[in-house]
Amino acid sequence: MTEMNENPLDLLPEVLLAASAVLGLLLGSWLPRARQWAVGLLAVVACVTGILAASVAATEPATTAFGEAFAVDTVTGASRIVVLGGTLLVLGVSFRPLRGDPRESEFYVLVQLAALGALMMAGTQDLLLFAAAYLLASIPSYTLAGFRKDGPGTEAALKFYVVGALLGVLLLAGVTVLYAAGRATLYPMLGDALRDAPEPLVAVGAIGLLAGVLFKAGGVPAHFWVPDAVQGSSAPVAALLTTLPKIGALAALFRVGDDVFADSPLPWPALIAVLAAASMTLGNLGAFFQQDVKRLLAYSTISQVGYLLLPVAVVDRSDLAQQAFLYYLAAYTVTNLGAFAVVCALPQAHTLDDYRGLAKDRPLLAASLVICLLGLVGTPPTAVFLGKLQAFSAVFDGGYAWLAVLAAVNTVASLFYYLRWIVPAVSRGASPGLTEGDRTARVVAYAATAVSVGLGLAGGPVLDALAGPLSP
């Protein structure tokens, strides 16, 4: 173990977000209801400042902080920028519907705490810190799911919490078993110890850990909460649930696969490959005949977990894995949030038919929707296209050609249910659901669409920037 490094500046983006959440909670207690928006503005400032700090830190050599418990490297830096950028988009689509709400400031605080948990999960390389970050990302999310206090929201929060409590206990049990097997919690030390540990003990611990991580990511077989929680939540919360926790969980899984299970007796790559195949296939099957737009996007995000797990499966087998994973993570986040921003911009449109005539009524919003949905399929020149291409190349290079073929088949199949949404949106006619709109959410949709296309066009330099080493 290296000398203890307790410099808080190494965690400056996380510190800024935590300080903003605490200060926002205090401000919300004193500000009048008409000025609660100031807490949201404070959150925006914290996110922008955090992105700048993360960008500066990304130019420095990889290092660790707090006794190697937290890594400051390429994975952490990219995750920080993606999480904070995604938080900005979520805040953007939340301002209008929350304006004047009695608990407006609490919403902004909970969003920041959930994002903070995702940031900590992405950078941690210690089991105990990971467990704490997992809980920090989970508890605010449960509250946000039922924030509206209506019937669907209460049902969403209850199902989300019950499944999360069960799988969270399994995660803590897995952490305990892995500690018993390796007598260490730091990933590098644990990885060395597990090489000679009893294989059944390692398997039990890994399955428990996977149960919690897959719940947070929304992957099979811990995906049952996703459709009901996303459909029952408000649209801004649904956008958050399908992106921010997923980033932290999958980044943590990527790091665990590289540091802990790379040389263990457990067939880790094969296990992740099977989970990737199941997630992308079952997610697509569930989305095929959905009529509710949020529920369709919920099943879509389950399938996207499968694609994101492709490079995770070959983290120690392919040199392309890290670039593919981080790029796809950023591409998926901005594209998915762009689609949800369109949903937030049309709060009265709930089903696919409610979007009929959107191209005639609001052509720019329809263009954003079409680009984002085709982007989720993987259509050039959007960023997801290049992300999928890199992910397919990584798994093929890692010796899992069958998984690349299955992913390609699932990609083609997913076009069917996205077209079921696109066709009404570009067809003639009009729907009552298009009569009202959120102007701020429309701006967010345009911005996210532009970033998705821009990220795809600038893929080469971005991929080069994502090739940095992990922490020593």
Side-chain angles (χ1 to χ4, degrees):
M1 182 181 293
T2 60
E3 182 180 353
M4 179 69 76
N5 175 9
E6 298 183 356
N7 184 7
L9 292 179
D10 289 331
L11 276 73
L12 185 56
E14 291 79 11
V15 170
L16 288 170
L17 204 59
S20 174
V22 173
L23 183 57
L25 190 61
L26 295 175
L27 284 176
S29 301
W30 295 98
L31 289 173
R33 182 177 301 179
R35 296 183 181 178
Q36 297 284 309
W37 56 265
V39 178
L41 181 61
L42 178 63
V44 169
V45 172
C47 289
V48 172
T49 309
I51 291 174
L52 295 176
S55 301
V56 172
T59 62
E60 302 293 331
T63 185
T64 58
F66 293 88
E68 297 184 354
F70 193 88
V72 184
D73 54 19
T74 305
V75 172
T76 303
S79 299
R80 282 170 166 174
I81 294 173
V82 175
V83 169
L84 292 172
T87 305
L88 279 176
L89 295 179
V90 171
L91 290 170
V93 298
S94 304
F95 282 129
R96 181 73 178 271
L98 282 171
R99 191 66 183 270
D101 190 281
R103 298 177 295 147
E104 181 179 0
S105 61
E106 286 93 328
F107 182 91
Y108 300 136
V109 170
L110 290 169
V111 168
Q112 291 177 88
L113 292 177
L116 178 60
L119 289 180
M120 295 303 298
M121 282 195 294
T124 181
Q125 54 179 10
D126 182 277
L127 287 178
L128 297 181
L129 183 57
F130 172 72
Y134 177 90
L135 293 174
L136 179 58
S138 298
I139 296 174
S141 300
Y142 301 149
T143 308
L144 287 169
F147 194 80
R148 293 187 301 184
K149 291 186 176 181
D150 56 2
T154 302
E155 181 182 357
L158 182 60
K159 291 181 177 179
F160 190 16
Y161 171 75
V162 170
V163 177
L166 172 62
L167 297 179
V169 169
L170 290 180
L171 179 136
L172 294 177
V175 168
T176 304
V177 172
L178 288 175
Y179 175 70
R183 302 296 182 185
T185 57
L186 286 174
Y187 292 172
M189 297 175 62
L190 184 62
D192 293 336
L194 291 183
R195 295 174 187 172
D196 301 321
E199 187 171 348
L201 202 61
V202 176
V204 171
I207 291 173
L209 186 68
L210 267 175
V213 173
L214 289 174
F215 161 74
K216 190 54 58 185
V220 174
H223 66 290
F224 296 104
W225 63 273
V226 178
D228 291 331
V230 170
Q231 184 181 19
S233 304
S234 63
V237 173
L240 182 148
L241 294 180
T242 56
T243 48
L244 302 189
K246 193 184 308 293
I247 299 167
L250 292 175
L253 190 62
F254 184 89
R255 198 182 297 278
V256 166
D258 184 65
D259 291 342
V260 178
F261 296 113
D263 298 319
S264 73
L266 188 72
W268 181 260
L271 178 60
I272 299 299
V274 170
L275 292 172
S279 295
M280 68 178 75
T281 303
L282 294 180
N284 278 339
L285 291 175
F288 275 154
F289 300 106
Q290 297 298 324
Q291 292 296 325
D292 186 275
V293 293
K294 288 194 292 184
R295 199 170 182 88
L296 186 148
L297 287 173
Y299 280 106
S300 168
T301 195
I302 296 170
S303 70
Q304 292 293 332
V305 174
Y307 302 120
L308 286 164
L309 285 175
L310 298 180
V312 177
V314 294
V315 59
D316 63 329
R317 291 170 169 248
S318 173
D319 294 334
L320 302 174
Q322 178 177 309
Q323 292 169 286
F325 172 69
L326 295 177
Y327 184 87
Y328 198 165
L329 203 62
Y332 163 75
T333 298
V334 68
T335 308
N336 185 67
L337 286 175
F340 266 105
V342 176
V343 175
C344 294
L346 300 170
Q348 304 303 319
H350 302 292
T351 66
L352 302 182
D353 285 338
D354 289 339
Y355 283 78
R356 188 170 301 278
L358 180 62
K360 179 180 178 181
D361 193 56
R362 293 190 174 90
L364 286 180
L365 196 61
S368 296
L369 178 64
V370 171
I371 291 172
C372 288
L373 293 181
L374 291 179
L376 290 174
V377 175
T379 306
T382 59
V384 175
F385 165 73
L386 184 55
K388 283 192 175 182
L389 186 62
Q390 290 292 316
F392 294 173
S393 301
V395 293
F396 191 85
D397 183 56
Y400 285 95
W402 66 269
L403 187 58
V405 172
L406 180 62
V409 171
N410 272 285
T411 296
V412 175
S414 68
L415 181 62
F416 170 75
Y417 59 82
Y418 290 120
L419 285 177
R420 292 185 61 243
W421 192 351
I422 292 173
V423 170
V426 300
S427 63
R428 296 181 179 180
S431 170
L434 306 180
T435 56
E436 297 183 11
D438 184 341
R439 185 175 303 174
T440 306
R442 292 203 299 269
V443 173
V444 172
Y446 303 151
T449 304
V451 172
S452 179
V453 175
L455 189 61
L457 296 175
V462 174
L463 285 169
D464 292 338
L466 299 175
L470 295 179
S471 63

